[in-house]
Amino acid sequence: MLIKITAIAVLLLTSSMSFASTSAPSKTATFEQLAQQQSQKVPLQIIDCRNSNFYNGWPEPQQQLGGHIAGSVNIDSSWLKMLDSSAFETLLRDKHLTPNLPTYLYCSADKAQQLTTALQNQGYHSLTTIDQPLNDYHGKLIALPNFQQLVPASWLYDLINGKHPRYTPTHGYKVVEVEWGPPAKYLLDHIPGALYVNTNTIESKPWWNKVNNKALAQVIANLGIRYDTTVILYARNNMSAARFANFLMYAGVKDVRLLNGGWTAWSDADYPTEHLPNYNKTPVAFGKTIPANPQYLIDTAQVKTLLKKPVSQQSVVSVRTWPEYIGETSGYDYIKPKGRIEGAKWGHAGSDSYHMQDYLNPDQTMKSGNEITAQWAQWNIKPNQDVAFFCGTGWRASEAFFFAHILGWKNISVYDGGWYQWSANKSNPITEGTITPASVH
């Protein structure tokens, strides 16, 4: 009998911690009332609980405006099903939200209620929902400068079904899945019409740098890509897609886009897939000399030149885990030396060499631009500098590079050789050990 009572008690306790617990409906307000509160300098916090694509700048269906209210943070209510109570608490802390301030939410009524319930379970009580569509907001909305290059799965679905969505390609398009090795998962399921690129055809030993320009041009031609073709890339883990994006931008493709959230976004939306492989049957001339944008990839000598500039003018950014950065591990079983390039700043990454949690939302979409910019700024990585990203062999660095591109940063590049090539030469200066952000200012 004691066991049964204990089990019931545990069940009741678990239910009280669940996001699905019942709660009182939140108060409602208008955008005008929110603006009045802001004009009175009342301390408050604003949560945009819509899909991150709308927060970035894409307009919602049947609406004209895209972007977010200045100062708002993005917590998509759909993330709640991916988070337990502890993970949600960590998310709120990372976004610098506090239960003590009046909190305004704007998204659809059902999503706002879901988030209200979850916040109440975390001790938030002063919660107000804006009960108007964003079209009724009369202030200036903030959008990422190049949000069009980071596309929602819904946009891609409309495109491949001939619906001509906003920002549709003007000179044709190709959808390409990019993965390491033979197309095992691609042949099980992929986005309809998608071509396939094995990263072994675009990288070469010994350092897994970009293949020579002639070989890269052949891969691009075989895909049927010209310089003016829109290329939409995705992967099971978007690092590999971002790697090819960097190479295509280097080559001179004018319109390279990344599926926000990659394969996960397509799969979670339950859009149709296919399993038969697709091939481009007619190679084309690229139409420009490759590389048209050599500045997007730099080598070891260029990194050394960059490091000679004052730290206020340049950033050589280590997109690696903290243990990699301080020299506790190399991060790879095939890379033996540990440490970092002397003078490199820490750009954050994730839990290991295959993850980028510091840059991604729970649904694998790009984290808020404000959050990425803030984590870089802490280490004196600024948009007005010459910024070169590196990691072990270029994949994580390429994802950070592409996000910087989405944010509108201009003087950006990927150090192709990364830690693998740099550390292999004992004459290249390296260092290790813990440092503080203040030491790189």
Side-chain angles (χ1 to χ4, degrees):
M1 187 65 178
L2 178 61
I3 294 175
K4 290 183 178 179
I5 293 172
T6 302
I8 292 171
V10 171
L11 181 61
L12 289 173
L13 178 61
T14 303
S15 298
S16 70
M17 295 173 62
S18 168
F19 291 132
S21 62
T22 58
S23 65
S26 62
K27 296 178 293 183
T28 60
T30 64
F31 285 121
E32 184 178 2
Q33 290 170 320
L34 171 61
Q36 289 173 348
Q37 291 288 93
Q38 290 177 303
S39 67
Q40 294 170 11
K41 308 298 182 184
V42 175
L44 53 82
Q45 47 202 14
I46 309 170
I47 300 177
D48 184 328
C49 40
R50 302 173 302 153
N51 181 286
S52 63
N53 291 295
F54 304 141
Y55 182 87
N56 290 344
W58 289 90
E60 294 179 84
Q62 286 78 53
Q63 295 200 34
Q64 297 302 312
L65 300 176
H68 58 271
I69 297 172
S72 63
V73 300
N74 183 215
I75 301 179
D76 184 348
S77 298
S78 301
W79 301 343
L80 295 174
K81 61 180 179 289
M82 308 169 193
L83 304 169
D84 60 20
S85 182
S86 176
F88 184 55
E89 182 181 6
T90 299
L91 179 71
L92 295 173
R93 185 169 60 249
D94 289 346
K95 292 182 180 292
H96 307 290
L97 295 172
T98 172
N100 304 322
L101 289 178
T103 303
Y104 289 78
L105 290 67
Y106 64 95
C107 57
S108 62
D110 58 332
K111 294 189 73 169
Q113 188 55 54
Q114 291 170 20
L115 188 55
T116 293
T117 300
L119 289 168
Q120 287 174 335
N121 289 340
Q122 294 286 343
Y124 288 68
H125 299 296
S126 181
L127 297 166
T128 304
T129 298
I130 305 295
D131 58 354
Q132 295 174 284
L134 203 57
N135 274 351
D136 293 343
Y137 181 71
H138 298 300
K140 181 181 179 182
L141 294 175
I142 308 299
L144 301 184
N146 292 322
F147 73 86
Q148 302 96 327
Q149 309 310 122
L150 192 66
V151 304
S154 57
W155 178 91
L156 182 55
Y157 175 77
D158 286 346
L159 179 69
I160 64 179
N161 283 283
K163 294 184 179 179
H164 302 288
R166 296 187 197 196
Y167 311 111
T168 196
T170 54
H171 293 91
Y173 70 91
K174 300 288 182 181
V175 181
V176 184
E177 179 172 332
V178 187
E179 311 287 351
W180 175 78
K185 293 182 178 178
Y186 169 87
L187 290 176
L188 290 174
D189 260 333
H190 56 262
I191 294 174
L195 304 169
Y196 185 80
V197 165
N198 179 345
T199 57
N200 287 332
T201 66
I202 58 174
E203 295 181 317
S204 61
K205 296 180 178 179
W207 312 121
W208 300 110
N209 288 354
K210 176 190 67 64
V211 294
N212 64 52
N213 290 334
K214 182 178 180 181
L216 178 63
Q218 189 61 57
V219 171
I220 293 172
N222 290 343
L223 292 168
I225 295 171
R226 286 176 41 84
Y227 77 93
D228 56 358
T229 304
T230 294
V231 184
I232 302 127
L233 304 168
Y234 76 94
R236 313 288 157 154
N237 180 328
N238 254 3
M239 288 190 292
S240 54
R243 180 69 161 156
F244 193 35
N246 175 240
F247 291 175
L248 290 175
M249 292 169 65
Y250 161 89
V253 178
K254 292 167 57 178
D255 187 10
V256 180
R257 310 192 194 189
L258 204 63
L259 173 59
N260 197 16
W263 172 255
T264 299
W266 189 269
S267 180
D268 286 352
D270 202 28
Y271 288 137
T273 61
E274 64 181 12
H275 62 273
L276 293 177
N278 296 299
Y279 303 98
N280 176 67
K281 296 180 174 60
T282 309
V284 299
F286 186 66
K288 281 188 176 181
T289 301
I290 294 176
N293 298 307
Q295 72 276 12
Y296 287 139
L297 276 171
I298 64 174
D299 59 21
T300 300
Q302 289 170 298
V303 171
K304 291 180 176 179
T305 299
L306 196 58
L307 285 167
K308 291 177 182 177
K309 292 184 177 183
V311 293
S312 61
Q313 298 177 17
Q314 57 80 16
S315 287
V316 175
V317 183
S318 176
V319 185
R320 302 161 75 212
T321 66
W322 181 249
E324 287 175 274
Y325 181 72
I326 64 176
E328 288 183 354
T329 176
S330 76
Y332 303 80
D333 56 9
Y334 57 88
I335 301 178
K336 300 307 178 187
K338 302 173 184 178
R340 61 179 176 272
I341 296 173
E342 188 174 348
K345 304 171 185 179
W346 189 47
H348 289 255
S351 56
D352 56 39
S353 56
Y354 303 100
H355 293 88
M356 287 278 281
Q357 293 99 327
D358 294 346
Y359 288 82
L360 301 174
N361 294 316
D363 62 356
Q364 303 305 302
T365 57
M366 175 186 166
K367 188 180 281 188
S368 158
N370 291 334
E371 293 175 69
I372 294 175
T373 300
Q375 71 187 20
W376 284 342
Q378 185 183 19
W379 286 83
N380 192 23
I381 303 164
K382 305 286 183 66
N384 62 336
Q385 299 169 342
D386 289 328
V387 180
F389 300 96
F390 78 95
C391 56
T393 61
W395 287 35
R396 288 176 289 175
S398 293
E399 191 159 21
F401 163 88
F402 198 83
F403 289 160
H405 171 61
I406 296 299
L407 294 171
W409 291 32
K410 301 297 184 185
N411 299 318
I412 56 174
S413 62
V414 170
Y415 169 35
D416 198 12
W419 176 245
Y420 195 14
Q421 186 172 7
W422 183 277
S423 64
N425 187 337
K426 290 182 169 55
S427 67
N428 290 333
I430 66 173
T431 189
E432 57 184 35
T434 300
I435 66 171
T436 63
S439 64
V440 298
H441 281 68

